[in-house]
Amino acid sequence: ELQPYDRIPSENDFSKQFEISPMTARKALNGLANDGYVYRQRGLGTYVAPKHMTHTLDKLVGFSEDLHAHGLSPSSKIICYEIQPATQTVAQALKIKTGRKVLRIKRLRFADQDPVAVHDAYLAADTPITRRELEELGSLYALLESKNFKIYSGVDEIISIPADQEMSLQLGVKIGAPLLQLTRLTEDESGNPIELVIAVYKADFYRYTIRLRR
C-alpha cells in the first residue's frame, strides 16, 4: 500500500498494533532494512526504499532493453544533439585524433516517467542516424543496429560520484548525493569503437550483481 519514500509506522506503533514486543518489531524492521526494503533516517523515522533494478554484468544490453525486461517503460528527453570537436578522453576511446568532429547525444532517461539517468554518448560524426529517428525509436542501440552497426562487445567502468548542481536539477536529487557513473565503450566484432557513453544513474535505481567463479 505504501509507495517509495513513504514513512512507515514506528516500532512502538507496530508493537501496539500487533500486540508484540518492541524488540520483536525492531528485529522485523532490521530485517527489512538489511534486505533493502526500507531505510532509516536518524531522527526522522523509517521509510519505504525505492525499488532497485537488478542488473547483471554478464550481458551487454541497452537502457531501453533493460527497462522493458523489468516491466518498466523507458523514455528520453534529448538535451544535446550536435557535432562537436572530440576531447582528448573521447578521442582516445574512439581511436581518433583530438579535435576531430564527433556526434554528441546527451539524454535525460526516464523509467515510468521518473528521471533516473543522464546518458552522454559520443559517436563518429558520420554515423548515419538522425535526431528524429532517435526520438521516434527511443533506443540508440536499436537504431544503430537498424543501420547495420553490430554491437558485439563492451567494457564498463563504474565509479561513485557526487551530484553537482546540474545533475541535482536533472535527476531530482540533493547536491552531493551519491550517483553511479558508468563509462561504457562498445565495439564491433573487429574491435572497432562504435560508441562511448558516460552514463550517470541515481544510486538507488540500479543494483549490480556479478557472478564470480574460482
Side-chain angles (χ1 to χ4, degrees):
E1 296 177 0
L2 297 176
Q3 299 301 311
Y5 307 109
D6 283 349
R7 185 177 179 182
I8 68 173
S10 67
E11 296 168 2
N12 289 333
D13 291 334
F14 279 127
S15 176
K16 294 175 182 178
Q17 180 179 353
F18 297 107
E19 298 182 352
I20 57 177
S21 72
M23 181 174 293
T24 299
R26 185 175 302 115
K27 286 182 178 179
L29 290 175
N30 285 341
L32 291 174
N34 291 337
D35 290 338
Y37 291 106
V38 301
Y39 66 96
R40 292 188 172 95
Q41 289 191 330
R42 186 179 297 275
L44 296 176
T46 304
Y47 298 82
V48 179
K51 295 179 181 179
H52 287 89
M53 202 172 81
T54 301
H55 179 77
T56 57
L57 294 175
D58 59 356
K59 187 177 181 180
L60 180 58
V61 296
F63 179 82
S64 297
E65 294 174 280
D66 213 3
L67 261 63
H68 282 307
H70 287 82
L72 299 174
S73 177
S75 57
S76 303
K77 176 185 177 183
I78 295 179
I79 300 172
C80 172
Y81 191 103
E82 63 182 25
I83 302 295
Q84 59 181 235
T87 63
Q88 183 176 358
T89 299
V90 172
Q92 184 175 358
L94 296 181
K95 298 181 180 178
I96 59 176
K97 292 183 178 180
T98 301
R100 185 172 176 178
K101 300 296 184 181
V102 293
L103 172 60
R104 181 186 183 189
I105 304 173
K106 187 174 183 179
R107 293 180 292 168
L108 180 59
R109 312 304 302 269
F110 298 86
D112 285 348
Q113 306 303 314
D114 293 325
V116 295
V118 176
H119 286 187
D120 201 0
Y122 299 85
L123 305 98
D126 59 356
T127 304
I129 62 175
T130 67
R131 177 171 182 154
R132 182 174 179 177
E133 288 175 326
L134 181 57
E135 289 175 332
E136 291 177 350
L137 195 55
S139 169
L140 179 57
Y141 280 10
L143 179 56
L144 288 171
E145 289 177 345
S146 74
K147 303 286 185 175
N148 296 319
F149 284 85
K150 177 60 178 177
I151 299 174
Y152 181 76
S153 64
V155 177
D156 287 355
E157 178 184 272
I158 304 172
I159 63 173
S160 175
I161 64 169
D164 58 20
Q165 185 174 11
E166 182 180 9
M167 294 175 186
S168 170
L169 293 173
Q170 291 170 337
L171 297 176
V173 298
K174 293 182 179 179
I175 295 177
L179 301 172
L180 290 178
Q181 178 178 286
L182 181 148
T183 301
R184 171 180 291 176
L185 178 65
T186 56
E187 301 172 334
D188 63 18
E189 194 168 4
S190 299
N192 300 310
I194 295 177
E195 173 219 25
L196 171 70
V197 61
I198 302 171
V200 177
Y201 296 92
K202 286 182 176 179
D204 59 7
F205 180 66
Y206 265 124
R207 174 178 292 170
Y208 289 94
T209 60
I210 307 172
R211 178 177 295 276
L212 304 175
R213 291 184 179 179
R214 180 172 177 173

